[in-house]
Amino acid sequence: MRKLASALIALSVCALAAVPASPASATSLTCRRTLGPGEHTISVPFQGRDFPVTVYVPARARPADRLPAILNLHGTQSTGAGQLAYSNMKQAADADHYLVLAPSGALPAAGGFAWNVPGVVTPPPGARDDIAFLGRVITTATSELCVDRTRIYGTGYSGGGRMISAFACQRPQRLAAIAPVAGLRAGRPDPADPTRPDPASCSPARPVPVIAFHGRQDTTNPYEGGGSEYWRYSVPAALHRWTELNHYRARPRATPLTSGVTRISYGRNAVLYAIANGGHTWPGRPIDNGNGPVTHEIDANRLMWRFFSGRS
């Protein structure tokens, strides 16, 4: 009888081990973050190389806290550390208690890097696959930085906005929501009609809530479309396509918030802040970057976190 009981216990343990952990159970596992509050650089291994990634741990974070995280992607010719500073996200992370992941792109560009966005650039032979790389950044953060994998969100500025949009198209299960700034896309322009997204280039397997911010005076990624070959269709067309991808059929509702900002929404899961007095800039940032006017009528960090935290 003792041998039979031991065998049954062993079988039960094996059966439990064979069952994949649910997000909830994975989140509840104990962890211990070795990095204290502040800005750090971690090393992320990918395809035989180690890549530095800037991270920010919020003030008052305890080593065992499972924190939510925002993947924050830089614009072309910048870096992860540069984006962390440009977006002014340290202060926001301290206030709302989340961790920031700020990697750098694969392609050298002036003094910084650009992202290898699928369908946008023709990368040199052997260029890093940035979709797969960002997946590795998230995996590393989950295991080494005590990040809650059910509360990982994405944002990005300009080329980083295009990159986080592409990542959501191809890896929707890795992000709970996205918030592109001056860079919302829903796939490449359709070769047959560049004024709309190509449906074949973005077909996520699950809905991804979207909040976006875009200046109507943006001359780099024009609000109404046009510009570079990778841009072409308008920002409202991109938002509309995400509502289709998210299986939402409501009509857009435009709500003026201030004299210069209008909130355009398709329900609660697809929202655009259109900024009449905004350039190619990050709303609410203390200092402009020379790419047109910066609105201080709204704060992108505060609004995106409110949107994100409603989808925990």
Side-chain angles (χ1 to χ4, degrees), residues 203-281:
S203 53
R206 60 176 290 274
V208 181
V210 175
I211 181 173
F213 305 85
H214 213 102
R216 289 182 176 270
Q217 298 180 37
D218 188 330
T219 58
T220 302
N221 291 331
Y223 182 88
E224 298 295 345
S228 302
E229 288 300 313
Y230 59 74
W231 194 251
R232 310 309 292 170
Y233 60 85
S234 70
V235 178
L239 183 71
H240 181 262
R241 177 59 183 156
W242 275 107
T243 67
E244 294 177 337
L245 293 169
N246 291 343
H247 312 298
Y248 201 78
R249 302 255 188 302
R251 292 182 178 180
R253 178 180 179 182
T255 305
L257 300 181
T258 69
S259 59
V261 180
T262 299
R263 184 180 188 271
I264 302 168
S265 64
Y266 288 81
R268 65 184 295 271
N269 287 327
V271 179
L272 167 65
Y273 286 85
I275 304 150
N277 58 339
H280 190 63
T281 51

Side-chain angles (χ1 to χ4, degrees), residues 36 48 56 69-70 168 175-176 196 203 213 223 233 263 296 299 301:
Y56 184 74
I70 294 181
L175 297 173
R196 69 185 187 98
S203 53
F213 305 85
Y223 182 88
Y233 60 85
R263 184 180 188 271
H296 296 283
D299 185 320
N301 291 340

Side-chain angles (χ1 to χ4, degrees), residues 6 33 44 58 104 120 132 176 186 205 227 231 238 253 307 311-312:
S6 298
R33 187 185 311 101
V44 174
S104 295
V120 170
W231 194 251
R253 178 180 179 182
F307 183 86
R311 282 143 190 84
S312 299

